Amino acid sequence: MQTNKLIQAFGTLSCAMIFLCCFDSVEAQIFPDWERGYFDIHHIESGGGNSAFLVFPDGTTMLIDAGVLNKKRHDPLKTSPLLPSDSLTSGGWIAHYIRQVFPRNQVPSIDLALITHFHGDHYGVVTPDAPLSASGTYRLTGITEVAERIPIRKLIDRNYPDYNYPVDMVSMDNPTFSNYLAFIDRQKKQGVMDVESLAVGSNSQIVLQKHPADYPDFQVRNIKSGGEIWSGQEDKTFKCIPDSARKYYNKLFGEYPLSIVLKFSYGLFDYYQGADNNTGLQNPDHPWLDVETPIARAVGAVDVATLDHHGNRDACNAFWVETLCPQVFVQQSWCSDHPGQEVFYRLNAERKNQPKADIFATYIHEETKITYGPWFTGAYKSMEGHVVIRVMPGGKEFYVYVLDARSVNLKVKAKFGPYLSR
């Protein structure tokens, strides 16, 4: 391996120099295909928000979110452009990406899709120009467009079928959510998609579906959904948001602290996906707004973690950062105020017993780089591109690939690792 040769020849070189030589050598290569035993986690940059596509070691596939932004709503802040181009929508590019990385010799279909919470940058905003589905019963955006292009066998969200927490969402005036309900209704009537609510605490809902006996050390634990969180013992749960908080929905908080949290484990490797959970700026009158602290206690240390709420300043509190203590942070970012500057200070802080984590972002704006300065840009390993975690068979080590989001192909911009799972 080239990295080993470099270590032998330059024993005193820093890890940063080794990585530099390593990723220079992969320039212009195409991302290597998934093989059985790999656990691949693709954080897709399409310009629409969050989306991650996972291929489990046995070939089971999972999609976490499929965001489409209403870009005008965020003016005057800058939002990331459609990538690779505006020839497709964000949902279209997500489907295009999935088809390219889908396991060979399998007909593309998504075994499991999960919507972490009901914000457009996670499941798709409906705009007046969004096209109708082939059935004419709902509009195509985000998850509904992906499903139009690639069949989804099972969909999981935070509150199916009642959608009554923390308020009656069905009766709310929300065209995007109403469109989502029409999509679910049509898919179920056709008999092509099952729908479930996340079972908090369970490690038997999201499972290997093709060859489970071959990978007994792979597990997905449902940590949190809505106001309920795993206790850390068996499948027991408790409320981290009291029932009395319902009256504050759309006043003091919204969907953010209701987001689903998952922990994926493969041998020694652990991965955290926490969507938009946050700390609520640590409101002293409502301490329950800080859902990150109980989340961190339930999750413990991991190897790779996505930043909560894109790294916004209301998230990623110090306890969360220190407790998860990952080797790699992935920032699924799209806005010019991502990340909050104080959040970055915490991510880049010295740790007592562990080196600083490597940080990878799907998209950081030029305005943000200029505002924060070279101390900020120099601390990131990458600031644009699809960020792919490839866990090797057995979970003992993993690599990080950065793919060119401006290319329609899976062009590798950089490769980092191996990282040893802890």
Side-chain angles (χ1 to χ4, degrees), residues 142-160:
I143 190 67
T144 64
E145 181 170 9
V146 172
E148 192 86 349
R149 296 171 180 264
I150 304 175
I152 294 174
R153 294 179 178 176
K154 180 180 287 186
L155 178 68
I156 300 172
D157 66 28
R158 69 169 186 80
N159 201 203
Y160 176 86

Side-chain angles (χ1 to χ4, degrees), residues 68-224:
V68 174
L69 291 167
N70 179 356
K71 294 178 180 289
K72 292 182 180 179
R73 177 178 176 271
H74 300 279
D75 289 342
L77 297 174
K78 295 290 186 69
T79 58
S80 53
L82 278 171
L83 292 175
S85 71
D86 60 3
S87 61
L88 291 176
T89 63
S90 293
W93 283 123
I94 292 168
H96 173 82
Y97 184 100
I98 290 172
R99 286 185 175 278
Q100 290 189 88
V101 300
F102 212 85
R104 296 188 305 271
N105 303 321
Q106 290 189 32
V107 178
S109 65
I110 298 169
D111 296 312
L112 301 160
L114 181 136
I115 300 302
T116 59
H117 64 293
F118 303 120
H119 276 161
D121 60 322
H122 290 260
Y123 77 134
V125 167
V126 170
T127 56
D129 59 346
L132 285 170
S133 64
S135 65
T137 54
Y138 55 87
R139 294 193 177 273
L140 301 181
T141 178
I143 190 67
T144 64
E145 181 170 9
V146 172
E148 192 86 349
R149 296 171 180 264
I150 304 175
I152 294 174
R153 294 179 178 176
K154 180 180 287 186
L155 178 68
I156 300 172
D157 66 28
R158 69 169 186 80
N159 201 203
Y160 176 86
D162 298 324
Y163 300 113
N164 60 356
Y165 182 86
V167 297
D168 179 9
M169 300 187 66
V170 176
S171 63
M172 293 176 65
D173 183 17
N174 186 329
T176 295
F177 187 72
S178 297
N179 189 71
Y180 176 72
L181 295 181
F183 159 70
I184 288 176
D185 183 64
R186 177 66 180 181
Q187 296 287 303
K188 285 184 65 64
K189 285 181 178 177
Q190 288 184 308
V192 297
M193 186 178 78
D194 294 326
V195 188
E196 298 177 359
S197 182
L198 190 85
V200 178
S202 173
N203 64 353
S204 60
Q205 183 179 29
I206 301 173
V207 295
L208 301 174
Q209 297 187 5
K210 303 185 187 304
H211 305 282
D214 293 347
Y215 306 98
D217 53 355
F218 183 87
Q219 173 185 271
V220 184
R221 176 71 70 173
N222 300 345
I223 300 292
K224 176 188 170 293

Side-chain angles (χ1 to χ4, degrees), residues 396-416:
K396 293 182 180 180
E397 64 180 26
F398 64 98
Y399 293 84
V400 180
Y401 289 81
V402 179
L403 309 186
D404 186 359
R406 297 178 184 271
S407 170
V408 296
N409 300 316
L410 303 176
K411 180 182 176 182
V412 177
K413 295 173 62 178
K415 177 184 176 182
F416 300 81

Side-chain angles (χ1 to χ4, degrees), residues 322-385:
E322 288 297 322
T323 303
L324 267 61
C325 192
Q327 300 183 65
V328 170
F329 279 115
V330 179
Q331 182 183 357
Q332 295 170 280
S333 47
W334 49 263
C335 192
S336 56
D337 68 346
H338 298 161
Q341 197 168 27
E342 58 271 61
V343 169
F344 176 74
Y345 272 116
R346 293 195 287 272
L347 300 181
N348 199 44
E350 295 288 347
R351 299 174 179 171
K352 292 181 181 178
N353 301 314
Q354 295 289 341
K356 293 180 182 179
D358 291 342
I359 310 173
F360 299 83
T362 53
Y363 195 92
I364 299 291
H365 287 263
E366 292 302 317
E367 290 84 354
T368 312
K369 297 176 187 177
I370 294 169
T371 301
Y372 288 0
W375 65 273
F376 169 74
T377 57
Y380 275 73
K381 295 297 183 183
S382 176
M383 289 190 152
E384 180 183 307

Side-chain angles (χ1 to χ4, degrees), residues 287-344:
W288 47 264
L289 283 170
D290 173 16
V291 295
E292 284 186 311
T293 295
I295 286 171
R297 290 194 183 106
V299 172
V302 298
D303 294 286
V304 179
T306 59
L307 293 190
D308 283 347
H309 200 195
H310 322 286
N312 266 305
R313 58 180 36 86
D314 65 346
C316 307
N317 71 37
F319 182 81
W320 180 91
V321 172
E322 288 297 322
T323 303
L324 267 61
C325 192
Q327 300 183 65
V328 170
F329 279 115
V330 179
Q331 182 183 357
Q332 295 170 280
S333 47
W334 49 263
C335 192
S336 56
D337 68 346
H338 298 161
Q341 197 168 27
E342 58 271 61
V343 169
F344 176 74

